[in-house]
């Protein structure tokens, strides 16, 4: 307990850091020490038992990893996605990603439909970021991408984040226009999590083609939320960064 308390005090207010390309490189630690947490867990063992279905399912997946049945969409996995527990939902999404990657087109179509029908439960930045570019992105690579514009105009913060994060797959394939299109739609978004995601994707474009990113920025950086701009120009030389921040480009 003493070490946990001192760790929280030491980290709070400091930069998370890590790899500079990380979406949370510039964020600050905000930890809260919970002195009664261990006792709470001991007194509420039922909370632990609620996670048992997840462990059981994963053990089953491990035993069946060479079996075609592992690719089937069971009702247990669908129920996990609708669970009130965050850990259960992220487990369901990771299973869906694996199923998508190893399934045929029919399986992939079912997973994409399941994903789009249940965006209500993909309701956290980590849930979106671990799934959108690995399910929706590959599926739309050679298909009509109109659904992304629809998601970008949604009232749901998470659907808008799904729209921009799905384009990460296209970026990795050197196809930048979908990212730029969705970025334009989200320029006036009010949510910080959208500003960070759009800035991150623009930075990823720039990592592969600086000219394409700068062409976009020169048109829109004056109207861009400050967080979005900072994320987008993070890898630029300091002198160039200051030009954008000071509005002298």
């Amino acid at each position: 307990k003493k070490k946990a308390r001192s760790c929280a005090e030491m980290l709070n207010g400091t930069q998370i850091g890590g790899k500079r390309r990380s979406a949370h490189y510039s964020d600050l630690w905000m930890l809260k020490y919970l002195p009664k947490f261990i006792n709470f867990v001991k007194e509420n063992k039922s909370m632990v038992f609620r996670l048992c279905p997840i462990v059981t399912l994963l053990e089953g997946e491990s035993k069946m990893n060479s079996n075609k049945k592992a690719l089937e969409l069971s009702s247990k996995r669908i129920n996990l996605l609708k669970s009130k527990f965050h850990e259960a939902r992220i487990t369901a999404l990771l299973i869906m990603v694996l199923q998508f990657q190893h399934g045929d087109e029919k399986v992939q179509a079912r997973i994409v439909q399941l994903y789009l029908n249940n965006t209500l439960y993909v309701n956290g930045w980590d849930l979106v970021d671990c799934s959108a570019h690995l399910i929706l992105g590959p599926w739309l690579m050679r298909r009509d991408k109109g659904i992304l514009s629809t998601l970008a105009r949604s009232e749901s913060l998470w659907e808008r984040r799904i729209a921009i994060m799905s384009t990460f797959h296209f970026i990795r394939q050197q196809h930048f226009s979908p990212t730029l299109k969705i970025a334009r739609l989200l320029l006036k978004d009010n949510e910080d999590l959208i500003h960070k995601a759009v800035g991150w994707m623009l930075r990823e474009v720039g990592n592969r083609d600086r000219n394409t990113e700068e062409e976009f920025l020169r048109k829109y950086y004056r109207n861009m939320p400050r967080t979005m701009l900072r994320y987008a120009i993070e890898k630029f030389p300091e002198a160039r960064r200051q030009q954008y921040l000071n509005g002298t480009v």
Side-chain angles (χ1 to χ4, degrees):
K1 294 180 180 180
K2 184 177 180 180
K3 290 182 179 179
R5 188 185 300 108
S6 62
C7 180
E9 293 174 352
M10 178 181 67
L11 289 176
N12 279 344
T14 64
Q15 186 175 333
I16 291 178
K19 295 183 178 180
R20 289 187 64 85
R21 61 185 177 182
S22 169
H24 304 284
Y25 175 81
S26 301
D27 292 345
L28 300 180
W29 285 105
M30 293 183 64
L31 302 176
K32 183 177 180 180
Y33 174 68
L34 303 176
K36 299 181 180 180
F37 178 72
I38 299 299
N39 292 334
F40 173 80
V41 172
K42 291 179 180 178
E43 295 170 2
N44 295 271
K45 293 182 179 180
S46 61
M47 179 180 67
V48 178
F49 293 137
R50 288 170 185 166
L51 299 179
C52 287
I54 302 176
V55 177
T56 303
L57 179 58
L58 290 178
E59 289 176 347
E61 290 293 332
S62 177
K63 293 177 182 178
M64 295 193 303
N65 59 7
S66 61
N67 193 315
K68 290 184 179 179
K69 290 183 179 179
L71 299 178
E72 295 178 357
L73 293 172
S74 73
S75 59
K76 289 184 179 179
R77 298 187 187 104
I78 296 174
N79 289 338
L80 273 183
L81 183 58
K82 297 182 178 181
S83 170
K84 65 180 180 180
F85 296 106
H86 182 90
E87 295 84 357
R89 296 196 300 279
I90 199 167
T91 299
L93 289 168
L94 293 175
I95 291 173
M96 288 168 63
V97 168
L98 289 174
Q99 291 174 324
F100 183 91
Q101 292 173 339
H102 296 283
D104 56 23
E105 187 172 358
K106 184 177 180 180
V107 170
Q108 291 178 342
R110 293 173 62 195
I111 292 172
V112 169
Q113 196 59 53
L114 174 66
Y115 190 78
L116 292 174
N117 288 345
N118 291 279
T119 55
L120 175 65
Y121 306 101
V122 188
N123 55 357
W125 65 264
D126 53 341
L127 300 180
V128 172
D129 295 2
C130 79
S131 59
H133 71 291
L134 297 174
I135 294 177
L136 202 53
W139 179 255
L140 296 176
M141 185 65 197
R142 294 180 176 81
R143 294 178 173 86
D144 179 69
K145 299 173 179 58
I147 184 64
L148 296 183
S149 296
T150 301
L151 291 171
R153 294 185 176 95
S154 170
E155 294 184 1
S156 165
L157 157 65
W158 306 118
E159 289 191 348
R160 300 199 302 276
R161 187 166 176 116
I162 287 172
I164 188 64
M165 289 305 303
S166 294
T167 70
F168 198 3
H169 178 80
F170 312 142
I171 295 172
R172 288 175 169 175
Q173 305 301 317
Q174 306 295 316
H175 185 34
F176 307 131
S177 57
T179 301
L180 303 181
K181 178 179 180 179
I182 300 303
R184 281 193 293 271
L185 293 176
L186 297 174
L187 280 175
K188 296 183 179 180
D189 201 284
N190 295 322
E191 295 289 345
D192 185 64
L193 284 172
I194 299 300
H195 301 167
K196 291 179 178 180
V198 174
W200 175 17
M201 291 302 100
L202 290 174
R203 186 174 71 239
E204 291 294 339
V205 170
N207 288 344
R208 294 158 176 82
D209 188 334
R210 174 67 63 80
N211 291 333
T212 297
E213 182 188 8
E214 289 222 44
E215 182 180 353
F216 181 89
L217 289 177
R218 284 193 294 270
K219 292 181 180 178
Y220 301 108
Y221 83 97
R222 293 181 184 274
N223 302 317
M224 191 177 286
R226 203 65 169 176
T227 298
M228 187 185 297
L229 177 60
R230 287 186 177 276
Y231 270 60
I233 63 177
E234 185 178 290
K235 295 292 186 66
F236 285 16
E238 183 60 23
R240 190 61 169 165
R241 286 184 70 253
Q242 290 304 321
Q243 287 179 335
Y244 276 103
L245 292 175
N246 295 326
T248 58
V249 175

